[in-house]
Amino acid sequence: MRMYDIILKKRNGERLNAAEIAYFINGYVSGDIPDYQVAALLMAIYFKGMDARETADLTMAMVDSGERIDLSAVSGIKVDKHSTGGVGDTTTLIVAPLVAACGVPVAKMSGRGLGHTGGTIDKLETIRGFNVNQPIDDFISIVNEIGVAVVGQTGNLVPADKKLYALRDVTATVDNISLIASSIMSKKIASGADAFVLDVKAGSGAFMRETEKAFELAKEMVAIGTHVGKRTIAIVTDMNQPLGMTIGNALEVKEAIEILSGMNKESALREVSLLIGAYMLLAVQKCQTVEEGIQILVQTLESGKGLEQLKKMIAAQGGDSRVVDNPSLLPQANRMIEVKTQKEGWIFAMDTQDIGSSAMLLGAGRKTKEDIIDLAVGMVMQKRIGDYVKQGESIAKFYINEEKMLDEAIDLFKRAVHIEAQKPINKPLMYGVVDS
């Protein structure tokens, strides 16, 4: 078998078989196949596409390129969730303990963020002492003992994805549905859960800005999960404005604690978290309908069991669980600045990606993998789309430690919030569901 023949076959629009896909993945990871040949194949895939079977074969070849987590020692049906990313998306910190409090084990591996704010792992590290780098045996023991753990991905989990993504990033081949789906699903499958719920974002702050593209990605990922025998459900949700009211690591943890405490009952973050959690319960047959699942979760939340579960998880992973009762123990910024509008009217739209980038300029995110996040800084939104604002009214509070990029961050934020004379049409929080 030769890489040349595989490139030629895909360039001509033919289907690659499982052996050919495994050959190129194994050869690339081992260093036997050079970057330039893999780049050529990626470009051929970009233009000619892959069918459902090829995408599933690519996913499993990537899974088999490294370590696979065996969760068979954890009793019960294990469920995992994934979000394709957005701004103010803190659902994991709400959903994971809440679902676990309903008796469903949640063994979750998460990543760090590159962009507007940190990832789930960065957010958890705002809690003093919280250890995200648990050995696999300890990770499994914690899930068995308390029902939930959230840790960082192991270094040898899907090494093929790390190499392929780096190459896709510099060869303009990132934006391909099959390559995106296989990247996401390979990490999920390798993490060992029995069922997956995928939150696919659509809108100005999402990887997939167009709703149709988000559904296309959702269908592709559900097809992969089904192909490998995993119950997989995808929901497509809105990201045309920040999901939560906070953007920034410690601020987002505080908001998650508030929601689990029973506060912010009308928030979009709470509603989407309950939706994701309900589909997680549905995926493991803990309920018969989504409506029943939401009812179970609301009762669990209002009883305080979800908050108590978060406290247990923090303590089990070495963190200071007092933060749940006293969020002031989280990192605090030195200064708060109000950002005020110069116009009067309805908040008609937001460029959510630019709002996220504004938070990154404050220090809440990374431009490069080497950047160090300031865990305390970020912003608290004061308004959402559809709110009426008067001239001089506060639309956000910026929490800062440095002023180096402050003016640029404020200017970017103001440009991202569009105020018009007419009231906008409300967009739904969820556009639809793709179920296996």
Side-chain angles (χ1 to χ4, degrees), residues 77-152:
I77 305 173
K78 282 72 69 179
V79 63
D80 195 0
K81 56 85 63 177
H82 175 81
S83 170
T84 57
V87 180
D89 181 2
T90 322
T91 54
T92 292
L93 299 187
I94 301 165
V95 169
L98 197 54
V99 169
C102 296
V104 177
V106 180
K108 179 158 182 58
M109 289 190 169
S110 293
R112 297 187 183 277
L114 182 59
H116 45 81
T117 58
T120 298
I121 293 303
D122 299 295
K123 292 165 191 171
L124 286 169
E125 286 185 335
T126 66
I127 301 169
R128 188 182 298 114
F130 195 100
N131 182 9
V132 298
N133 300 310
Q134 300 285 340
I136 295 301
D137 289 345
D138 292 351
F139 172 51
I140 291 171
S141 295
I142 292 170
V143 178
N144 262 329
E145 182 180 346
I146 66 167
V148 59
V150 181
V151 299

Side-chain angles (χ1 to χ4, degrees), residues 107-235:
K108 179 158 182 58
M109 289 190 169
S110 293
R112 297 187 183 277
L114 182 59
H116 45 81
T117 58
T120 298
I121 293 303
D122 299 295
K123 292 165 191 171
L124 286 169
E125 286 185 335
T126 66
I127 301 169
R128 188 182 298 114
F130 195 100
N131 182 9
V132 298
N133 300 310
Q134 300 285 340
I136 295 301
D137 289 345
D138 292 351
F139 172 51
I140 291 171
S141 295
I142 292 170
V143 178
N144 262 329
E145 182 180 346
I146 66 167
V148 59
V150 181
V151 299
Q153 293 170 354
T154 65
N156 197 36
L157 193 79
V158 197
D161 180 61
K162 295 180 179 68
K163 292 196 69 172
L164 278 179
Y165 192 89
L167 191 58
R168 287 165 57 206
D169 194 36
V170 296
T171 57
T173 54
V174 169
D175 190 16
N176 174 273
I177 294 293
S178 291
L179 296 176
I180 296 167
S182 60
S183 173
I184 293 170
M185 291 303 292
S186 61
K187 294 191 286 288
K188 292 290 101 183
I189 294 166
S191 297
D194 302 309
F196 310 116
V197 173
L198 311 168
D199 180 15
V200 183
K201 303 293 187 184
S204 63
F207 189 67
M208 295 295 177
R209 289 187 167 236
E210 299 173 4
T211 307
E212 295 78 11
K213 283 287 187 182
F215 272 104
E216 189 179 341
L217 176 59
K219 290 173 183 176
E220 195 84 29
M221 292 193 292
V222 169
I224 293 170
T226 303
H227 181 83
V228 300
K230 304 281 188 179
R231 178 69 193 279
T232 307
I233 303 172
I235 63 174

Side-chain angles (χ1 to χ4, degrees), residues 5-23:
D5 298 320
I6 295 172
I7 297 168
L8 180 62
K9 188 175 180 180
K10 180 47 67 178
R11 190 202 71 180
N12 292 339
E14 299 176 48
R15 173 193 282 177
L16 301 179
N17 61 45
E20 290 166 331
I21 291 171
Y23 174 83

